[in-house]
Amino acid sequence: MGSFWDRAACFYDFSETFNARANRAMVQAAARWVSPGSRVLDCAAGTGALSLAAAKKAEAVLCTDLSPAMLAQAKRKAAAQGAGNITFAQRDLFAPPPPRPFDGVIAGNVLHLLDEPERALASLLACLRPGGRLILPTYLQGEASPLFRVLLAAYQWVGFRPKRQFTDKSYRTLLAPWRPTYYQLLPGPLPVGFAVITKGMDSL
């Protein structure tokens, strides 16, 4: 998967413009759920759109991805916007939790790429302090518009390999055991299911 995302880094931001409405709403929604002065971990951050949104309110953001090329693009964007409170690291979202848990964790548009999204959710929650928020916007490929299905097919032709094609219903079903605090469907050619899970004491 990493090699595809390294190749995709140079055109990823351009491809996002085809779904501008949903992506803009996703960034705005993520920013609303970041607490002022918090420490935030962004997993599978890609070119850093959600890290940049979080950085406007957070004290510090750790922007992580498996792809060095994606991280390099994110660094350039952060420098251009003067976001000095973002640091960058290559990290697998299944890595052991850090010694000091985060106040917020973001994992945007990654669950549909994974063989074991349930294990990923447990791993992400392990990085949070009790009461912290896990922010989970996810593309609902099962509800893509006809035109966007053509674009997704082109993406797959160059190496994109999603494991799931979530619908609004199937994504809600995946998240149900974790009792999301908030859920919203963000419309667009490729809709986004935007979820927030608050880590309770029973999640320890």
Side-chain angles (χ1 to χ4, degrees):
M1 186 169 69
S3 60
F4 165 75
W5 295 109
D6 286 337
R7 295 194 304 272
C10 62
F11 61 81
Y12 185 81
D13 286 336
F14 174 72
S15 70
E16 294 282 272
T17 63
F18 292 98
N19 197 39
R21 179 186 177 190
N23 289 330
R24 184 166 52 248
M26 174 177 62
V27 168
Q28 292 170 350
R32 285 196 299 271
W33 284 93
V34 172
S35 298
S38 59
R39 294 173 58 253
V40 175
L41 170 65
D42 188 2
C43 295
T47 62
L50 297 178
S51 288
L52 287 165
K56 294 177 181 179
K57 293 172 67 177
E59 176 185 341
V61 177
L62 177 57
C63 175
T64 68
D65 199 279
L66 278 177
S67 165
M70 286 285 191
L71 285 174
Q73 188 79 342
K75 287 179 184 179
R76 285 191 286 270
K77 290 165 66 174
Q81 296 186 31
N85 59 338
I86 305 179
T87 54
F88 301 86
Q90 193 171 358
R91 182 183 184 277
D92 191 317
L93 63 78
F94 291 106
R100 182 185 176 192
F102 288 86
D103 303 303
V105 173
I106 301 171
N109 302 317
V110 65
L111 294 180
H112 61 290
L113 304 176
L114 305 175
D115 289 314
E116 300 177 279
E118 296 87 354
R119 186 165 75 91
L121 288 168
S123 180
L124 293 164
L125 282 166
C127 297
L128 274 173
R129 64 165 176 80
R133 293 168 177 167
L134 175 55
I135 300 169
L136 292 166
T138 297
Y139 288 136
L140 304 177
Q141 295 182 24
E143 301 197 6
S145 70
L147 174 60
F148 220 92
R149 288 183 185 276
V150 174
L151 295 174
L152 287 171
Y155 235 46
Q156 292 176 20
W157 186 76
V158 295
F160 177 56
R161 296 291 182 266
K163 304 294 184 180
R164 311 279 180 103
Q165 291 194 339
F166 287 116
T167 62
D168 182 47
K169 181 179 179 180
S170 65
Y171 188 45
R172 287 174 182 264
T173 299
L174 170 73
L175 299 176
W178 284 270
R179 299 191 296 277
T181 304
Y182 178 83
Y183 185 91
Q184 181 182 5
L185 177 64
L186 305 177
L190 182 58
V192 173
F194 185 91
V196 178
I197 297 171
T198 302
K199 181 173 181 177
M201 294 303 293
D202 59 347
S203 300
L204 292 173

